[in-house]
Amino acid sequence: MTDEPLVSVRNLKKHYPITEGVLSRQVGAAKAVDGISFDIAEGETLGLVGESGCGKSTAASSIIRLEEATDGEVIFNGGGRAGRERNADGTHPNDVTKFDDEELKAFRRDAQMIFQDPSSSLDPRMTVGRSVAELLMVHGMTDKQRRREIVEDLLERVGLEADYYDRYPHEFSGGQKQRIALARALVLNPEFIVADEPVSALDVSIRAEILSLLNDIQEEFGLSMLFISHDMSVVREVCDRVAVMYLGEIVEIGDTDEVFSNPQHPYTEALLSAIPRPDPSDQRENIELKGTVPSPISPPSGCKFHTRCHMVIQSDEYDLEQEDWRALLTFRDKVRAGEIDPEGIREALSPPDADPSVVDDETVEDELRMEFELPETLADDDAEAIVDRALDALTDGEIETAEDELSTFTTPCEEEEPEETDHGNGHLSACLRNKPDTEHGAPLADD
């Protein structure tokens, strides 16, 4: 592995337009990928991790150009010295997003993709040998016997039999199909492979075999790989570096061992806490993400993770337990969104066929506190007084008054977009707690 990047992704964006009316007028956009940047060196495996819906697969298909990017660059095999050279129009000569048909076909020889579901990526009407050999034919190899020899050799390299060439996909197990998909990705001898959740559809007993095979193949062929997964334990096993993605952005990136042992973003910390631990004496806390899950159509201001963050920064006016502050902000956001229905709660608590008015306001307020995990009395007297007034306003049907009261609670996380902090050795994170001046309190972890 060298330091020279094979792939350089720069400020890549993929936004899906939202339209309405007979004229399909655009009224917004879903920001699936919203400005990600990273490098992949020769022979390196970079893991891209995050929850379902964070934009990982969209990023992959945009990088490999199965989808057209909205903005940004994907510079292939030209990110070093050549990366400083530009065309007259300012574009990079090796920018995949600007390739014409001929250049794109050449790129397809050097970059391949392995999909999550091998069954859907294999034509059931074609033998697996023909499916693998098809790429050779598309790229100009007319000798049928030579194509067969190459494919049979690859089938054996991925742990199958050469005579499987003439069998059909339905004759194979899921693990065998993924081996066939790997053979197809390798048939053109590429330099770069994007593996999109390649083992998530497989039984646990088969995953280890496929991951071991991927490692062996990468070493044998000298491949660079972008490995996409939501499973942190899998990423730890196969990746040299890891990039953590949330709502279309990369919030942390660094060497795998460093990120796992010293996470610098609360979202990374939460993902790591979910990894099963075989040692029963390990008392590490499982972090449950609470709060409001944001939409890529209307992402929150500031740090996009602040609506769910268990370490969201408190304003200076109040002194509360961290979990109470999180609960308080979630309650505020639900009131703002119009998702609080005191009268519905009153009706639900009333006996059958009884007038809901028999349920008094105090009971409704207690139910709201319980639903949003607010303590009976907040430790900060000023904060408690505000919550009391907001609850009274809600039970009186004065929603706007409750909103005004709760708007007093603010956090720097929703007002200020975090910049990247460099923790050394290429370990970067984007969290206000890690600002060098620590004006927002102690960092998540000590470097």
Side-chain angles (χ1 to χ4, degrees):
M1 185 171 68
T2 70
D3 295 330
E4 187 75 8
L6 178 73
V7 180
S8 294
V9 177
R10 293 289 176 267
N11 197 34
L12 185 69
K13 297 181 181 181
K14 178 58 180 177
H15 297 173
Y16 294 98
I18 299 172
T19 60
E20 67 176 18
V22 294
L23 299 178
S24 296
R25 181 172 61 90
Q26 184 172 341
V27 295
K31 300 177 181 179
V33 179
D34 199 25
I36 63 172
S37 299
F38 55 81
D39 292 334
I40 303 177
E42 293 181 11
E44 179 184 45
T45 298
L46 174 69
L48 188 60
V49 301
E51 299 167 297
S52 296
C54 73
K56 307 184 301 295
S57 294
T58 302
S61 58
S62 299
I63 290 168
I64 210 77
R65 205 170 154 184
L66 296 180
E67 293 192 71
E68 297 296 332
T70 303
D71 196 9
E73 295 180 324
V74 179
I75 301 169
F76 182 75
N77 220 350
R81 182 174 59 185
R84 294 188 292 270
E85 300 171 2
R86 294 277 168 173
N87 297 323
D89 62 359
T91 61
H92 193 288
N94 294 75
D95 184 2
V96 176
T97 68
K98 300 295 191 297
F99 281 174
D100 59 25
D101 290 345
E102 183 178 347
E103 291 171 321
L104 190 58
K105 184 177 181 180
F107 171 67
R108 294 275 184 251
R109 290 186 61 91
D110 293 326
Q112 290 290 313
M113 189 162 185
I114 303 173
F115 296 93
Q116 177 177 356
D117 182 5
S119 298
S120 64
S121 61
L122 294 172
D123 189 337
R125 298 166 298 181
M126 295 175 65
T127 65
V128 298
R130 282 186 60 201
S131 290
V132 176
E134 185 179 30
L135 293 177
L136 291 171
M137 185 171 61
V138 168
H139 286 272
M141 184 175 287
T142 57
D143 186 335
K144 184 176 180 180
Q145 182 58 34
R146 179 58 181 152
R147 293 201 303 266
R148 185 177 184 109
E149 291 173 356
I150 291 173
V151 172
E152 287 179 343
D153 177 64
L154 271 176
L155 289 175
E156 291 182 336
R157 289 194 182 201
V158 298
L160 299 173
E161 301 293 332
D163 59 8
Y164 288 176
Y165 186 103
D166 295 310
R167 295 188 183 184
Y168 288 87
H170 72 270
E171 301 179 62
F172 297 93
S173 67
Q176 288 174 319
K177 289 177 183 177
Q178 197 59 288
R179 289 173 186 267
I180 294 166
L182 179 56
R184 187 172 59 180
L186 294 172
V187 73
L188 294 175
N189 195 22
E191 297 181 69
F192 177 51
I193 283 182
V194 175
D196 187 5
E197 301 272 12
V199 297
S200 64
L202 304 178
D203 293 339
V204 174
S205 59
I206 306 298
R207 291 184 185 183
E209 295 180 13
I210 299 299
L211 292 174
S212 177
L213 176 61
L214 281 171
N215 274 330
D216 293 343
I217 291 294
Q218 184 185 24
E219 290 182 10
E220 180 180 353
F221 287 83
L223 296 170
S224 299
M225 189 180 303
L226 177 63
F227 188 95
I228 295 169
S229 180
H230 64 274
D231 190 331
M232 296 291 280
S233 59
V234 169
V235 167
R236 185 170 202 170
E237 184 175 342
V238 301
C239 297
D240 302 300
R241 290 190 303 130
V242 58
V244 181
M245 194 168 181
Y246 183 79
L247 204 63
E249 297 180 348
I250 290 177
V251 297
E252 184 164 3
I253 186 170
D255 289 344
T256 301
D257 290 341
E258 176 67 18
V259 170
F260 273 69
S261 63
N262 188 26
Q264 293 292 327
H265 194 281
Y267 181 59
T268 308
E269 184 185 43
L271 291 178
L272 292 174
S273 77
I275 298 176
R277 297 178 292 280
D279 184 359
S281 65
D282 188 346
Q283 300 298 314
R284 185 178 59 186
E285 178 187 4
N286 286 324
I287 298 171
E288 180 184 358
L289 296 181
K290 303 175 182 179
T292 304
V293 179
S295 167
I297 297 174
S298 180
S301 59
C303 173
K304 291 183 178 179
F305 186 55
H306 82 261
T307 63
R308 302 171 67 198
C309 182
H310 59 286
M311 295 289 289
V312 62
I313 298 169
Q314 295 190 38
S315 57
D316 296 334
E317 295 94 321
Y318 309 105
D319 184 13
L320 296 166
E321 294 292 331
Q322 185 63 42
E323 60 183 11
D324 293 342
W325 179 246
R326 170 70 274 161
L328 189 54
L329 292 182
T330 301
F331 178 53
R332 180 205 65 180
D333 291 344
K334 293 294 185 180
V335 171
R336 282 179 175 174
E339 298 179 17
I340 305 295
D341 183 13
E343 292 310 307
I345 294 175
R346 199 185 302 274
E347 291 179 10
L349 294 176
S350 63
D353 301 323
D355 189 333
S357 62
V358 300
V359 179
D360 59 29
D361 290 351
E362 184 178 353
T363 301
V364 174
E365 292 178 11
D366 289 344
E367 184 67 21
L368 282 169
R369 282 183 182 266
M370 186 181 305
E371 179 180 345
F372 289 97
E373 301 183 2
L374 290 167
E376 292 183 9
T377 304
L378 290 168
D380 188 289
D381 291 340
D382 291 338
E384 175 62 25
I386 293 170
V387 171
D388 271 342
R389 293 196 297 270
L391 288 169
D392 289 343
L394 286 171
T395 54
D396 289 340
E398 299 174 1
I399 307 299
E400 290 186 4
T401 300
E403 282 187 55
D404 290 341
E405 290 286 354
L406 296 173
S407 65
T408 305
F409 300 119
T410 61
T411 170
C413 299
E414 64 189 348
E415 299 168 349
E416 184 178 345
E417 187 170 340
E419 297 179 357
E420 279 189 339
T421 300
D422 190 343
H423 307 283
N425 298 319
H427 186 185
L428 308 173
S429 70
C431 177
L432 291 182
R433 284 188 175 273
N434 290 325
K435 289 186 67 172
D437 58 13
T438 63
E439 67 181 65
H440 296 303
L444 183 66
D446 296 330
D447 291 335

